[in-house]
Amino acid sequence: MILLTCIMVGVIFACATYLLLAGELKQVCMGIFLLGHGANLAIIAVSGSPIGRLPPVLGGGMIDRLVDPLPQALILTAIVIGFAVQAFLLTLLVITARKTRTLDLNALATDEKEKP
Amino acid sequence: MPANWIILLVVIPMLGGIGSTFFLRHMRAQRLIGIATLIANLIVAIYAATNVFTDLDHPRILVSQMGDWPAPFGISIVLDGLSALVLAMASIVVLAIYLYCLWQMPRRLSHGLFHPLFHFLILGVQWSLLTGDLFNLFVGFEIMLMASYALLVIGASPSQMRQAYKYVLLNLLGSTLFVTCCGLLYGATGTLNMADLARLSHDGLLPPSAIPIVALLLIVFGTKTAIFPLWFWLPDTYHNLPASLGALFAGLLTKVGAYTLIRTFVMMFGTPELHRVVLPVLLLSAGVTMLLGVLGAVSMKSVRRILSIHIVSQIGYMALGIGLMTELAVAGTIFFILHNMAVKSTLFLCGGIMQELSGTDELAGMGGLLKRAPWLAAFFFIAALSLAGLPPLSGFIGKWMLLKGALDTHHYLFAGVGFFTSLLTLLSMLKIWNAAFWSESPQSPSPAPARSTAAGMLATAILLVVTLSMGFGASLYYRMCTAAARGVLQPEAYIQAVLREAR
């Protein structure tokens, strides 16, 4: 179970890296989003295998068998922040596309050099 | 005795930010809120600093546990010597910059959004400085960076937008790596509390699997601080900013990164095994950062570009002190951070006034400012010499501490590089001086300034007084910085204050 999660994290990070190296801004942003998901998955993997353990809700007794709740609290925060970042980045993409009519990184870079 | 009032340093800017959001169309109300919150913030920060430094050589440590949850489980807010010094300086710098912004508001930001973003940026900075655990450091960083992204792109022209992407994407990548590090570190050690992590590593209980995570943290903070080879985003972004925002970013953002480097690699992971991994990398990158930054500055041809790329070179000095890891060198780094926050902001603000007077930022288009604005010339001259490190100004003391630290530990090469960098710094500052102040004005008659620069000069003067106090009151600052450095190098008091208070 934990091995599978780790492999998943690896695959997601690999895909995200591939996207980050792409030549278009949309793909780069998607890479950032995907990387965020990979990070969240890595954090949840830290709390260990959930098999044979209980959700971290008090009242059931058996505190020693509860899943560690802290990583869940961490990713909850990370997801909220990630959501804000995604909203911001998407807005930025739309505005850039409207202003410059292109999202190709090379085109953006050459435009820059032509300007004084 | 929990010092719960230190949370005010987070609450005040938050109130300022939320409060000014309600008055987006009422400039006067926003300014009033802004000045009121920043002055309140300054008062609390100075009060906190005096409270921490009741005994100059033995700073107290103020701790507040959020929700009264015991320390390694809850969120701790901690104010020790290091964070108190940086916080006090930050609160002075932001007040001065805000006053300057009221005079010369960047045109693209002149609608109401500027004020809330300014306050949220300060909120992020102060949270990062106060927090006692690694995950909240991430949250503080995110708030600070989000505000800075927005300030960077709102109303930006297409070419500025392109530059902004470099900054935004790279910092987002860094943040994602940071949050991954937090998760992995929790998996390896079972805690994210800074005091608890410091206790583990100083007791030798840190598992070997934590070492690669710490190395990854170096990359994360290296990106945020802009040390070689992760500095390339900085000079491309900062010169696009208007002078006031340049001062804000240069004075706060990278310095918070340097503060985090001290907090992490000196205090939290200050063990010989980890230092064997981290210190050589930091030292080497410090040397290259110093030299490359200043070489870039010598080759640039506009005021803001020179100042922006200079930030990189100055960060090299800070990394040098951390890399040497002696008490004197770390104290030197702390002193240098404080000195740089004041001086760099002063120079950016001077640059803004120079631009206002001559209508351009290019050195070729400036000139004759010595006759037209003698006070500005004096301000710039003092700040520039302080940056270059001429006695008796503050830069000299900071560099003396760092270079003596390097000589004491027989790192002659790095001391040499540091000295050479100082000379080139002087050269690049003289370049601005010659072009803008001494040479004849290229346009004749020289253009009349649109308005009086008195308000901007007042804001700059505040910062200049702080800089001068650091030079002439050096012994006081020296003692405080040394005490703060001792506090992070031997964090027993910090650990006790945070962990024991809970019981």
Side-chain angles (χ1 to χ4, degrees), chain A residues 20 25 28 32 35-36 39 43 46 68 70-71 74 77-78 81 84-85 88-89 92-93 95-96 99-100 108 111-112, chain B residues 135 138-139 142 146 149-150 153 155-156 158-159 161-163 165 168-169 172-173 176 179-180 183-184 186-187 192:
Chain A
L20 279 177
L25 221 39
V28 176
I32 295 264
L35 205 62
I43 297 174
V46 156
D68 189 351
L70 199 103
L74 295 189
T77 317
I81 292 176
V85 166
F88 174 78
L89 212 50
L92 203 58
L93 271 184
I95 295 174
T96 316
K99 274 193 178 170
T100 63
L108 286 174
D111 264 20
E112 194 179 294
Chain B
F135 192 77
F138 162 72
V139 178
E142 274 316 281
M146 268 314 241
Y149 303 152
V153 297
S159 77
M161 206 83 149
R162 284 180 208 117
Q163 303 283 14
Y165 268 106
V168 173
L169 290 176
L172 282 180
L173 195 65
T176 317
V179 77
T180 318
L184 295 177
Y186 181 75
L192 283 177

Side-chain angles (χ1 to χ4, degrees), chain B residues 243 303 307 346-356 361 366:
Chain B
V303 177
L307 292 178
T346 315
L347 284 173
F348 264 97
L349 296 188
C350 282
I353 301 175
M354 282 153 69
Q355 189 180 1
E356 177 88 20
D361 190 44
M366 285 187 177

Side-chain angles (χ1 to χ4, degrees), chain B residues 310-330:
Chain B
H310 243 299
I311 301 170
V312 176
S313 153
Q314 307 293 320
I315 285 163
Y317 281 102
M318 296 168 203
L320 175 70
I322 302 169
L324 294 169
M325 202 60 77
T326 60
E327 190 179 297
L328 182 67
V330 175

Side-chain angles (χ1 to χ4, degrees), chain B residues 199-394:
Chain B
R199 179 185 64 83
L200 282 178
S201 60
H202 283 266
D203 289 354
L205 298 173
L206 210 62
S209 59
I211 293 179
I213 305 170
V214 175
L216 195 58
L217 274 178
L218 181 63
I219 296 179
V220 172
F221 295 137
T223 317
K224 312 249 173 203
T225 321
I227 55 176
F228 175 84
L230 302 161
W231 60 287
F232 49 87
W233 57 269
L234 193 145
D236 272 350
T237 324
Y238 278 28
H239 75 89
N240 264 324
L241 294 164
S244 47
L245 286 182
L248 185 66
F249 282 33
L252 292 182
L253 298 193
T254 47
K255 306 307 175 286
V256 175
Y259 160 86
T260 328
L261 281 179
I262 298 184
R263 187 60 85 203
T264 320
F265 298 106
V266 182
M267 191 190 90
M268 266 153 64
F269 301 112
T271 61
E273 308 92 78
L274 282 164
H275 281 171
R276 261 206 301 281
V277 182
V278 172
L279 293 195
V281 181
L282 254 180
L283 264 181
L284 187 66
S285 113
V288 181
T289 313
M290 282 193 279
L291 206 57
L292 276 187
V294 85
L295 286 179
V298 171
S299 72
M300 293 292 173
K301 286 195 177 59
S302 84
V303 177
R304 261 182 296 169
R305 273 182 194 270
I306 291 179
L307 292 178
S308 310
I309 200 157
H310 243 299
I311 301 170
V312 176
S313 153
Q314 307 293 320
I315 285 163
Y317 281 102
M318 296 168 203
L320 175 70
I322 302 169
L324 294 169
M325 202 60 77
T326 60
E327 190 179 297
L328 182 67
V330 175
T333 302
I334 299 172
F335 191 95
F336 208 77
I337 291 177
L338 301 178
H339 143 79
N340 228 270
M341 286 168 95
V343 169
K344 206 81 223 185
S345 311
T346 315
L347 284 173
F348 264 97
L349 296 188
C350 282
I353 301 175
M354 282 153 69
Q355 189 180 1
E356 177 88 20
L357 284 174
S358 49
T360 172
D361 190 44
E362 298 297 319
L363 284 180
M366 285 187 177
L369 286 178
L370 186 62
K371 272 186 208 139
R372 290 174 55 205
W375 279 103
L376 177 65
F379 283 12
F380 180 85
F381 193 66
I382 294 173
L385 290 190
S386 179
L387 187 77
L390 261 66
L393 297 161
S394 56

Side-chain angles (χ1 to χ4, degrees), chain B residues 14-15 36 44-45 47 98 113 167 188 241 286 298 322 350 357 367 396 408 427 485:
Chain B
M14 192 190 281
L15 284 180
V44 177
Y47 175 71
Y98 190 76
L113 276 176
Y167 175 78
L241 294 164
V298 171
I322 302 169
C350 282
L357 284 174
F396 170 73
D408 285 350
L427 180 68

Side-chain angles (χ1 to χ4, degrees), chain A residues 34 65 103:
Chain A
L34 203 55
R65 281 183 57 204
L103 283 177

